[in-house]
Amino acid sequence: MVVSTASSPLIPTGGGGRRQPPHALSIPVRSSRRRSLSASASRDPDRSGVPVPSSRGPISLPRPLTSADLMEPSGDGLKVAYQGYPGAYSESAAKKAYPSCHTVPCEYFETAFQAVEGCLADRAVLPLENSLGGSIHRNYDLLLRHRLHIVGEVRLAVRHCLLANQGVKIENLQSAMSHPQALAQCEQTLTKLGIEHKEAVDDTAGAAKLIAEQKLQDTAAVASSLAAELYGLDILAENIQDDTDNVTRFMMLAREPIIPRTDKPFKTSIVFCLEEGPGQLFKALAVFALRKINLTKMESRPHKKRPLRVADDNCSAPLKHFDYLFYVDLEASMADPNAQNALGNLKEFATFLRVLGSYPTDVSEA
């Protein structure tokens, strides 16, 4: 993580006083005068602007930065990118991760990646998986395409609301509009309410914005209570998700990694690729099992740069297999020698290995 400091005013380092005229005399200084000058110099800043300690007592100096400082728990002043319109669940996750941040809405997931890479934003908070809908595969692919680092995670409980323009009743509704995953998570409830037609859009908050702008009277949005507040919509029903345990896990991305620690729970996310052959994946997982490192998630994705692998199995025609990348989350910190040894062992036979980030585990309530 890059820590930026305000530049200090330039201080002249040589010949700070005015030049003496040619006729000025050089007068020798007595030894007592020299002692007086030395004493004052010990109390005053030297020519580089750094105070010189005196014998009268310690001078108050700034304390050294620690890894806790670099984690920026409040995110004061940070610009945090997220995908969607204001009022999206991703914005709520960004605010939970960095309560004092300035949020930056982005049209697409990749736009948020690019905003951080281009220094238009300091962080990005993007969804990685949902307890009902599973993994957001697009962001797994973007993690590999871009060079950002995971510096944290945040879990957010998703509480869907049914939103409509003022004066609209549930019995007036004929359709519901939202993100496809949100519609799927509320399918049974919407059917019970008599709403059979569903219209998918790119974003939950975007659906609320569209309904408000077009003043639709027969369509409701499935979105957050924050979206209702922002776009002036009424909440016709709350907590309409079919399963109450609806939690989305978001990742926090930055241009630089944070300093890993061992004094609190950490996760490490990696991605690797293996040679084709029996037992290769078993061998890869064994490097963690033998060191008692727990794996909390494993995701396989086809290798887009090498989508097919040709294998000659002594058949009449060569067989073609998908070449896979494996994304794994470990309950370990990269500051732990045990985790370092495990990855060193994996690197001996993996064809590709990259650490996506080592970051604190989110232990807060969703």
Side-chain angles (χ1 to χ4, degrees):
M1 178 177 299
V2 177
V3 180
S4 61
T5 57
S7 58
S8 303
L10 294 178
I11 299 175
T13 57
R18 291 179 299 176
R19 296 185 61 184
Q20 291 183 334
H23 59 273
L25 298 177
S26 176
I27 301 175
V29 181
R30 294 180 181 273
S31 59
S32 60
R33 175 63 174 164
R34 289 195 188 99
R35 286 195 295 271
S36 174
L37 290 173
S38 300
S40 65
S42 67
R43 294 190 298 268
D44 297 334
D46 66 6
R47 290 186 175 185
S48 64
V50 180
V52 179
S54 69
S55 59
R56 292 188 176 184
I59 293 178
S60 177
L61 297 174
R63 69 173 178 84
L65 287 175
T66 66
S67 55
D69 297 321
L70 299 179
M71 288 184 184
E72 297 161 343
S74 67
D76 190 19
L78 287 179
K79 293 182 179 179
V80 180
Y82 68 93
Q83 187 274 329
Y85 286 93
Y89 291 106
S90 292
E91 183 182 27
S92 299
K95 286 291 187 180
K96 184 180 180 184
Y98 302 105
S100 302
C101 73
H102 302 291
T103 53
V104 181
C106 299
E107 186 174 7
Y108 303 112
F109 289 134
E110 187 159 21
T111 309
F113 275 85
Q114 293 169 343
V116 178
E117 286 182 327
C119 298
L120 298 176
D122 303 297
R123 301 285 184 276
V125 174
L126 298 172
L128 203 55
E129 59 181 339
N130 176 265
S131 57
L132 301 181
S135 298
I136 291 85
H137 295 133
R138 175 62 175 161
N139 284 334
Y140 274 99
D141 295 337
L142 290 173
L143 276 172
L144 197 60
R145 181 181 301 178
H146 296 269
R147 301 299 298 182
L148 298 182
H149 302 267
I150 304 177
V151 296
E153 66 173 2
V154 59
R155 294 178 301 119
L156 183 74
V158 178
R159 301 287 181 256
H160 291 307
C161 299
L162 191 66
L163 314 181
N165 282 300
Q166 296 181 4
V168 175
K169 306 297 182 183
I170 291 181
E171 51 268 24
N172 303 137
L173 299 175
Q174 297 181 8
S175 65
M177 179 186 300
S178 191
H179 187 275
Q181 197 170 81
L183 293 173
Q185 292 168 2
C186 304
E187 184 175 6
Q188 295 178 19
T189 304
L190 292 174
T191 301
K192 290 178 182 178
L193 293 174
I195 303 173
E196 298 290 342
H197 183 261
K198 286 90 175 178
E199 184 176 349
V201 294
D202 291 336
D203 177 41
T204 56
K209 182 175 182 290
L210 181 64
I211 287 174
E213 289 178 346
Q214 296 187 4
K215 296 180 171 54
L216 301 179
Q217 301 297 307
D218 61 350
T219 304
V222 176
S224 66
S225 57
L226 176 60
E229 180 183 344
L230 291 176
Y231 302 110
L233 299 176
D234 286 344
I235 299 178
L236 303 184
E238 295 182 289
N239 294 328
I240 63 172
Q241 60 276 356
D242 298 333
D243 194 324
T244 55
D245 295 325
N246 186 4
V247 178
T248 299
R249 176 175 167 246
F250 293 80
M251 57 181 174
M252 298 140 68
L253 300 172
R255 288 182 292 275
E256 298 293 337
I258 63 170
I259 301 173
R261 301 163 62 179
T262 56
D263 60 343
K264 62 187 303 184
F266 256 65
K267 279 184 183 177
T268 297
S269 296
I270 64 172
V271 56
F272 61 88
C273 190
L274 301 169
E275 288 286 355
E276 179 68 24
Q280 286 294 311
L281 182 57
F282 173 83
K283 185 179 177 181
L285 299 180
V287 307
F288 304 110
L290 294 174
R291 294 171 175 85
K292 301 188 185 313
I293 297 176
N294 187 41
L295 309 184
T296 60
K297 180 177 176 61
M298 186 170 186
E299 181 86 14
S300 63
R301 296 287 294 153
H303 198 321
K304 291 196 172 184
K305 291 186 178 180
R306 294 197 316 243
L308 292 176
R309 185 201 305 268
V310 178
D312 187 3
D313 293 338
N314 297 322
C315 299
S316 57
L319 299 177
K320 292 184 178 181
H321 305 283
F322 277 112
D323 202 5
Y324 284 96
L325 291 163
F326 298 96
Y327 293 83
V328 174
D329 289 346
L330 324 171
E331 279 188 337
S333 169
M334 280 305 296
D336 183 358
N338 197 37
Q340 296 174 12
N341 293 335
L343 295 187
N345 192 176
L346 178 60
K347 191 175 181 180
E348 292 175 1
F349 56 90
T351 59
F352 169 77
L353 172 63
R354 178 176 157 192
V355 177
L356 299 171
S358 189
Y359 48 91
T361 302
D362 182 15
V363 295
S364 64
E365 289 290 332

